[in-house]
Amino acid sequence: MKASARRYRKGTTARKSYAVGAAVAAVLLASTACGPGVADGSAKEASTDEPVAKAAQGARGVPSRFAVLTWNICGAIKDCPSDRKPKKKIDEIVKVVRLDPGYAVIMMQEACKSIHSDELADQLGDGWVVRHRTATKVGTREKVRCPASGNKDAGVAVAMKKLPGSKFVTGSDGKPGWNLTFSSTRGLEHTHGESDQSMSNHATQGAACLQDKGNRLLACTSHFVHNDVAKYKEIQKASVKDLHRTTKDWQNGGYRTIVGGDFNIDVEGKRIKPLYAGNFEADSNDKCNTTGPRPRGPVGCRHIFGDKVDYVFFSDRGWKLRGGGVRYNGSTKKLSDHWMLTATVRPS
């Protein structure tokens, strides 16, 4: 087995040394906002100083049932399930969304723009917007190549439904949404994530974000580094710090936030704890594995053959949890090495 496919966690396949941020999503803030996370380029009307009380006024288009899913589709790595059938991965997402009209946010990790994110946008149609962030290899300026297509466009993507009153902020590229960089990872990234390589001055980690100013919603997704990357604990900790600070800043500006993705941190790990301050997680009660085999018989969903490394966080202010958990049915596991995580909330 190739080194890139060796086991790095119970039930999870090791990833190459690249920054999949984007990807939740899904991770936040724009260039004019406060905090250590900064947007790539400038975003129009990307921050707000209006009071938190405005959030209720901006909820006119937010439905009483608001559903979210996140899924690491394992589409940007060799030797992934169905890596040569990219459309099937997107078909699975769209099938789930079409069966439940309450879905309003979709997050994907390990997705390639040309064969996954663009396909998602095509299948969802004009009623949705999709933002893709191409990842950069740790400690470099080199974009990550997608093995299935040959294009350097592997990363994460977040999609949001157009609700009544939606007004999406555009990034410097003129497209809806913007990309966030976790600036606190600067000075922590070795070139290519290898400990025997020189320390770089690059900050490659980040997220893809969509901002609906009309309904005061922010959704971002990210994919944190895995534990084969040099200083992975420090990089993950810095990523959590920037993500949490950004959610707090937007919440203080009156926004409801939804952030998530594959954070490569087990739910029992201390590094994930800061994100619970001011937010609640979709599967907080059960904390079921999002990798590993399907739970069967007396074996619970927190068995030793997998881990919970995928998350969806909602702001405490403005949301109430209706339900959430790992989707162990369907053909998800035949298409990826991660299970799909879903959640439903209502505005409060």
Side-chain angles (χ1 to χ4, degrees), residues 294-301 303:
R294 182 197 306 267
R296 295 183 184 278
V299 179
C301 69
H303 57 74

Side-chain angles (χ1 to χ4, degrees), residues 4 55 101 103 117 152 167 178 210 219 248 253 259-260 306 327 341:
S4 62
Y103 275 103
S117 300
K152 289 187 175 183
K167 181 181 179 183
W178 30 266
L210 284 169
K248 183 178 179 181
V259 299
R327 184 182 175 87
L341 177 64

Side-chain angles (χ1 to χ4, degrees), residues 41-336:
S42 60
K44 301 175 183 177
E45 301 178 311
S47 67
T48 176
D49 294 322
E50 297 176 65
V52 171
K54 290 283 188 176
Q57 298 178 26
R60 290 188 297 271
V62 180
S64 59
R65 185 177 179 278
F66 190 101
V68 177
L69 72 81
T70 185
W71 188 27
N72 180 328
I73 65 171
C74 200
I77 306 294
K78 274 189 176 182
D79 305 319
C80 272
S82 300
D83 61 340
R84 295 294 172 179
K85 299 176 180 179
K87 187 175 180 296
K88 284 193 172 184
K89 298 173 186 283
I90 305 307
D91 290 345
E92 181 71 11
I93 292 174
V94 174
K95 180 179 70 174
V96 171
V97 171
R98 285 179 175 164
L99 287 172
D100 183 351
Y103 275 103
V105 172
I106 299 166
M107 304 178 188
M108 294 193 302
Q109 303 81 47
E110 293 188 18
C112 304
K113 183 180 185 300
S114 54
I115 59 176
H116 298 122
S117 300
D118 289 349
E119 176 68 21
L120 180 66
D122 288 344
Q123 290 201 35
L124 291 175
D126 293 338
W128 289 73
V129 294
V130 177
R131 180 75 185 186
H132 180 94
R133 179 183 188 266
T134 297
T136 305
K137 291 183 179 180
V138 174
T140 74
R141 294 184 184 276
E142 184 180 350
K143 298 299 182 183
V144 177
R145 179 179 173 274
C146 177
S149 68
N151 298 324
K152 289 187 175 183
D153 63 357
V156 299
V158 59
M160 189 183 291
K161 182 183 287 185
K162 294 178 181 176
L163 302 171
S166 284
K167 181 181 179 183
F168 289 94
V169 171
T170 57
S172 58
D173 57 3
K175 299 177 181 179
W178 30 266
N179 299 332
L180 178 72
T181 296
F182 299 153
S183 58
S184 292
T185 68
R186 193 179 309 279
L188 297 174
E189 300 185 25
H190 286 268
T191 302
H192 294 291
E194 301 291 343
S195 60
D196 59 352
Q197 299 292 312
S198 61
M199 182 66 72
S200 77
N201 193 39
H202 299 304
T204 62
Q205 304 302 289
C209 298
L210 284 169
Q211 177 192 351
D212 179 355
K213 185 182 180 183
N215 288 298
R216 306 182 81 74
L217 297 172
L218 184 75
C220 303
T221 189
S222 185
H223 188 179
F224 294 177
V225 296
H226 58 79
N227 66 1
D228 280 342
V229 171
K231 291 187 175 293
Y232 75 93
K233 290 183 179 179
E234 292 90 339
I235 296 172
Q236 290 175 351
K237 186 176 180 180
S239 299
V240 168
K241 171 188 171 183
D242 285 6
L243 176 55
H244 178 255
R245 175 64 184 275
T246 306
T247 58
K248 183 178 179 181
D249 287 343
W250 281 101
Q251 292 161 14
N252 288 341
Y255 274 70
R256 291 176 170 87
T257 62
I258 312 105
V259 299
D262 177 0
F263 294 164
N264 272 320
I265 305 172
D266 187 76
V267 69
E268 302 300 335
K270 291 182 179 179
R271 294 185 300 284
I272 199 67
K273 300 304 181 185
L275 277 171
Y276 287 89
N279 303 286
F280 61 88
E281 206 270 322
D283 194 25
S284 297
N285 292 335
D286 298 326
K287 301 179 180 179
C288 291
N289 290 350
T290 56
T291 66
R294 182 197 306 267
R296 295 183 184 278
V299 179
C301 69
R302 285 290 296 154
H303 57 74
I304 64 172
F305 303 107
D307 286 298
K308 174 176 172 59
V309 294
D310 301 272
Y311 300 85
V312 178
F313 284 95
F314 298 91
S315 52
D316 284 344
R317 181 184 293 143
W319 296 117
K320 291 293 183 183
L321 184 65
R322 296 177 63 129
V326 181
R327 184 182 175 87
Y328 290 120
N329 54 357
S331 57
T332 302
K333 196 59 177 179
K334 296 179 181 178
L335 299 171
S336 174

